[in-house]
Coordinates of all heavy atoms in Angstrom, one line a residue:
F1 N 14.0 -4.9 -2.8 CA 12.8 -5.5 -2.3 C 11.8 -4.5 -1.8 O 12.3 -3.6 -1.1 CB 13.2 -6.6 -1.2 CG 12.0 -7.4 -0.8 CD1 11.6 -8.6 -1.5 CD2 11.2 -7.1 0.3 CE1 10.6 -9.4 -1.2 CE2 10.2 -7.9 0.7 CZ 9.8 -9.0 -0.1
G2 N 10.5 -4.7 -2.0 CA 9.6 -3.7 -1.4 C 8.2 -4.1 -1.8 O 7.9 -5.2 -2.3
A3 N 7.3 -3.2 -1.6 CA 5.9 -3.4 -1.9 C 5.7 -3.7 -3.5 O 4.8 -4.5 -3.8 CB 5.0 -2.2 -1.5
G4 N 6.5 -3.1 -4.3 CA 6.4 -3.3 -5.7 C 6.7 -4.7 -6.1 O 6.2 -5.4 -7.0
T5 N 7.6 -5.4 -5.3 CA 8.0 -6.8 -5.5 C 6.8 -7.6 -5.2 O 6.5 -8.6 -5.9 CB 9.2 -7.1 -4.5 OG1 10.2 -6.2 -4.7 CG2 9.7 -8.5 -4.8
F6 N 6.1 -7.3 -4.1 CA 4.9 -8.0 -3.7 C 3.8 -8.0 -4.8 O 3.3 -9.0 -5.3 CB 4.3 -7.5 -2.4 CG 2.9 -8.1 -2.1 CD1 2.8 -9.4 -1.6 CD2 1.8 -7.3 -2.2 CE1 1.6 -9.9 -1.3 CE2 0.6 -7.9 -1.9 CZ 0.5 -9.2 -1.5
W7 N 3.5 -6.8 -5.3 CA 2.5 -6.7 -6.3 C 2.9 -7.2 -7.7 O 2.1 -7.8 -8.4 CB 2.0 -5.2 -6.4 CG 1.3 -4.7 -5.2 CD1 1.7 -3.9 -4.2 CD2 -0.1 -5.1 -4.8 NE1 0.8 -3.8 -3.3 CE2 -0.3 -4.5 -3.6 CE3 -1.0 -6.0 -5.4 CZ2 -1.5 -4.7 -2.9 CZ3 -2.2 -6.1 -4.7 CH2 -2.5 -5.4 -3.5
G8 N 4.1 -7.0 -8.0 CA 4.6 -7.5 -9.3 C 4.8 -9.0 -9.4 O 4.2 -9.6 -10.3
W9 N 5.5 -9.5 -8.4 CA 5.8 -11.0 -8.5 C 4.7 -11.8 -7.9 O 4.3 -12.9 -8.4 CB 7.1 -11.3 -7.9 CG 8.3 -10.9 -8.7 CD1 9.2 -9.9 -8.5 CD2 8.6 -11.4 -10.0 NE1 10.1 -9.9 -9.5 CE2 9.8 -10.8 -10.4 CE3 8.1 -12.4 -10.8 CZ2 10.4 -11.1 -11.7 CZ3 8.7 -12.7 -12.0 CH2 9.8 -12.0 -12.4
N10 N 4.2 -11.4 -6.7 CA 3.3 -12.3 -6.0 C 1.8 -12.2 -6.6 O 1.2 -13.2 -6.8 CB 3.3 -12.0 -4.5 CG 2.6 -13.1 -3.7 OD1 2.9 -14.3 -3.9 ND2 1.8 -12.7 -2.7
V11 N 1.4 -11.0 -6.9 CA 0.0 -10.9 -7.3 C -0.1 -11.0 -8.9 O -0.8 -11.9 -9.4 CB -0.6 -9.5 -6.9 CG1 -2.0 -9.3 -7.3 CG2 -0.6 -9.4 -5.3
L12 N 0.6 -10.1 -9.6 CA 0.5 -10.2 -11.0 C 1.3 -11.4 -11.6 O 1.0 -11.9 -12.7 CB 1.1 -8.9 -11.7 CG 0.2 -7.6 -11.4 CD1 0.9 -6.4 -12.0 CD2 -1.2 -7.8 -12.0
G13 N 2.3 -11.8 -10.9 CA 3.1 -13.0 -11.3 C 2.3 -14.3 -11.3 O 2.8 -15.3 -11.9
E14 N 1.2 -14.3 -10.7 CA 0.3 -15.5 -10.7 C -0.1 -15.8 -12.2 O -0.3 -17.0 -12.5 CB -0.9 -15.3 -9.9 CG -0.6 -15.3 -8.4 CD -1.9 -15.1 -7.5 OE1 -3.0 -14.9 -8.1 OE2 -1.7 -15.2 -6.3
L15 N -0.1 -14.8 -13.0 CA -0.4 -15.0 -14.4 C 0.6 -15.9 -15.1 O 0.2 -16.6 -16.1 CB -0.6 -13.7 -15.1 CG -1.7 -12.8 -14.6 CD1 -1.7 -11.4 -15.3 CD2 -3.1 -13.4 -14.8
I16 N 1.8 -15.8 -14.7 CA 2.9 -16.7 -15.3 C 3.2 -17.9 -14.5 O 4.2 -18.5 -14.7 CB 4.1 -15.9 -15.7 CG1 4.7 -15.2 -14.4 CG2 3.8 -14.8 -16.7 CD1 6.1 -14.6 -14.7
I17 N 2.4 -18.1 -13.4 CA 2.5 -19.3 -12.5 C 3.8 -19.2 -11.6 O 3.6 -19.5 -10.4 CB 2.4 -20.6 -13.3 CG1 1.1 -20.7 -14.0 CG2 2.6 -21.8 -12.3 CD1 1.0 -21.8 -14.9
V18 N 4.9 -18.9 -12.1 CA 6.1 -18.9 -11.3 C 6.4 -17.6 -10.5 O 7.2 -17.6 -9.6 CB 7.4 -19.2 -12.1 CG1 7.3 -20.6 -12.7 CG2 7.6 -18.1 -13.1
G19 N 5.6 -16.6 -10.7 CA 5.7 -15.3 -10.0 C 5.7 -15.5 -8.5 O 6.6 -14.9 -7.8
P20 N 4.7 -16.2 -7.9 CA 4.7 -16.3 -6.4 C 6.0 -17.0 -5.8 O 6.4 -16.7 -4.8 CB 3.5 -17.0 -6.1 CG 2.6 -16.7 -7.2 CD 3.5 -16.6 -8.4
F21 N 6.5 -17.9 -6.6 CA 7.7 -18.6 -6.2 C 8.9 -17.6 -6.2 O 9.8 -17.6 -5.3 CB 8.0 -19.8 -7.1 CG 7.0 -20.9 -6.9 CD1 6.1 -21.1 -8.0 CD2 6.9 -21.6 -5.8 CE1 5.1 -22.1 -7.9 CE2 5.9 -22.6 -5.7 CZ 5.0 -22.8 -6.7
I22 N 9.0 -16.8 -7.2 CA 10.1 -15.8 -7.3 C 9.9 -14.8 -6.1 O 10.9 -14.4 -5.4 CB 10.0 -15.0 -8.6 CG1 10.4 -16.0 -9.7 CG2 11.0 -13.8 -8.6 CD1 10.2 -15.5 -11.1
Y23 N 8.7 -14.4 -5.8 CA 8.5 -13.4 -4.7 C 8.9 -14.1 -3.4 O 9.6 -13.5 -2.6 CB 7.0 -13.0 -4.6 CG 6.7 -12.3 -3.3 CD1 7.1 -11.0 -3.1 CD2 6.1 -13.0 -2.2 CE1 6.9 -10.4 -1.9 CE2 5.8 -12.4 -1.0 CZ 6.2 -11.1 -0.9 OH 6.0 -10.4 0.3
C24 N 8.5 -15.4 -3.2 CA 8.9 -16.1 -2.0 C 10.4 -16.2 -1.8 O 10.9 -16.0 -0.8 CB 8.2 -17.5 -2.0 SG 8.4 -18.4 -0.5
H25 N 11.1 -16.5 -3.0 CA 12.5 -16.5 -2.9 C 13.1 -15.2 -2.5 O 14.0 -15.1 -1.7 CB 13.1 -17.0 -4.3 CG 14.6 -16.8 -4.4 ND1 15.4 -17.6 -3.7 CD2 15.3 -15.9 -5.1 CE1 16.7 -17.2 -4.0 NE2 16.6 -16.2 -4.8
K26 N 12.6 -14.1 -3.1 CA 13.1 -12.7 -2.8 C 12.8 -12.4 -1.3 O 13.6 -11.8 -0.6 CB 12.5 -11.7 -3.7 CG 13.0 -11.9 -5.2 CD 12.5 -10.9 -6.1 CE 13.1 -9.5 -6.1 NZ 14.5 -9.4 -6.3
L27 N 11.6 -12.8 -0.8 CA 11.3 -12.5 0.6 C 12.2 -13.2 1.5 O 12.7 -12.7 2.5 CB 9.8 -13.0 0.8 CG 9.3 -12.9 2.3 CD1 9.3 -11.5 2.8 CD2 8.0 -13.6 2.4
L28 N 12.4 -14.5 1.3 CA 13.3 -15.3 2.1 C 14.7 -14.8 2.1 O 15.4 -14.7 3.1 CB 13.2 -16.8 1.7 CG 11.9 -17.5 1.9 CD1 11.9 -18.9 1.3 CD2 11.4 -17.5 3.3
T29 N 15.2 -14.4 0.9 CA 16.5 -13.8 0.8 C 16.6 -12.5 1.5 O 17.6 -12.3 2.3 CB 16.9 -13.6 -0.7 OG1 16.8 -14.9 -1.4 CG2 18.3 -13.0 -0.8
A30 N 15.7 -11.6 1.4 CA 15.7 -10.4 2.1 C 15.7 -10.6 3.6 O 16.4 -9.9 4.3 CB 14.5 -9.5 1.7
M31 N 14.9 -11.5 4.1 CA 14.9 -11.8 5.5 C 16.2 -12.4 6.0 O 16.6 -12.2 7.1 CB 13.7 -12.7 5.9 CG 12.4 -11.9 5.9 SD 12.4 -10.4 7.0 CE 12.7 -11.1 8.6
N32 N 16.8 -13.3 5.2 CA 18.1 -13.8 5.6 C 19.2 -12.7 5.7 O 20.0 -12.7 6.6 CB 18.6 -14.8 4.5 CG 17.9 -16.2 4.7 OD1 17.3 -16.5 5.7 ND2 17.9 -16.9 3.6

């Protein structure tokens, strides 16, 4: 997990619609 996860899944992932959900899952898992 890192800044690349943010830019890849949250920002660019918006193009495939589910990207921000994947980022959110990874963020919540990392914080857990």
